[in-house]
Amino acid sequence: MSRFVFAAVAAATTALAAPAMAQDAGVTIMGNDDAAVGTVLSNDGATVVVDTGTHQVPLGADAFAEREGAWTLNTTKVELDTAWAQVVAEQEAALAAALVVGAEVKTADAQTLGTIEEVNEEAILLTHAGQPMALPKNLFALDAEGTVIVLANMADIMAAMNAG
């Protein structure tokens, strides 16, 4: 085998071993209609966040393909925005249904924070270690198991309480 053939085989093997991913922030992602879907905000190797201008959509890195020097998705911008809007609406409805008096709340680091005492338009009122606390609704989410969590860890919450 000549050096040239060996080098070509080695290069092809290396190229096949590398997963196809949208590379860097700022890269334009094209849809299957040959129109721009959006731009890459971030890529951690597993998840690529695409900004469509309407939504910031996290997608698996394996959803992308390279075609004629451009990174593509097998969807259109309208289809992606519509699908993501539905996901967001479903998540918001599930969270609203879970934010009820008596629900247990955990922290982002899985520690029990307290129990919801009241829900109003601006805040969720709960009790932690006998002390009342009010947290803005935008700090709440559901974890993968459907548990109500606060998007902060216990140490940060306690530091904020002690500072105030």
Side-chain angles (χ1 to χ4, degrees), residues 10 32 44 47 49 51 54 74-75 92 97 108 126 128 132 140 147 151:
N32 59 13
D44 68 7
T47 302
V49 178
D51 184 352
T54 304
N74 189 20
T75 191
E92 288 172 350
L126 52 102
H128 172 74
F140 290 82
T147 302
L151 299 173

Side-chain angles (χ1 to χ4, degrees), residues 4-144:
F4 176 75
V5 172
F6 180 79
V9 169
T13 303
T14 302
L16 290 175
M21 296 185 297
Q23 296 300 313
D24 298 317
V27 169
T28 299
I29 304 300
M30 302 302 290
N32 59 13
D33 59 354
D34 292 325
V37 170
T39 57
V40 174
L41 286 180
S42 65
N43 177 359
D44 68 7
T47 302
V48 178
V49 178
V50 175
D51 184 352
T52 68
T54 304
H55 299 287
Q56 295 178 358
V57 184
L59 299 166
D62 60 349
F64 298 84
E66 189 175 13
R67 184 183 66 184
E68 299 172 9
W71 289 102
T72 65
L73 285 170
N74 189 20
T75 191
T76 67
K77 178 185 180 319
V78 170
E79 291 169 339
L80 184 60
D81 277 335
T82 300
W84 189 249
Q86 183 171 348
V87 168
V88 169
E90 289 169 0
Q91 290 174 341
E92 288 172 350
L95 178 60
L99 291 175
V100 296
V101 172
E104 182 180 70
V105 178
K106 296 204 177 245
T107 60
D109 56 346
Q111 297 184 51
T112 299
L113 182 61
T115 302
I116 295 176
E117 302 293 331
E118 182 182 331
V119 178
N120 63 48
E121 288 301 312
E122 295 82 36
I124 305 295
L125 306 168
L126 52 102
T127 303
H128 172 74
Q131 294 188 321
M133 87 172 49
L135 297 171
K137 280 186 168 181
N138 66 348
L139 288 182
F140 290 82
L142 296 177
D143 68 9

Side-chain angles (χ1 to χ4, degrees), residues 143-162:
D143 68 9
E145 290 79 39
T147 302
V148 177
I149 63 168
V150 175
L151 299 173
N153 63 42
M154 184 66 84
D156 291 342
I157 294 168
M158 294 299 104
M161 285 183 62
N162 293 331

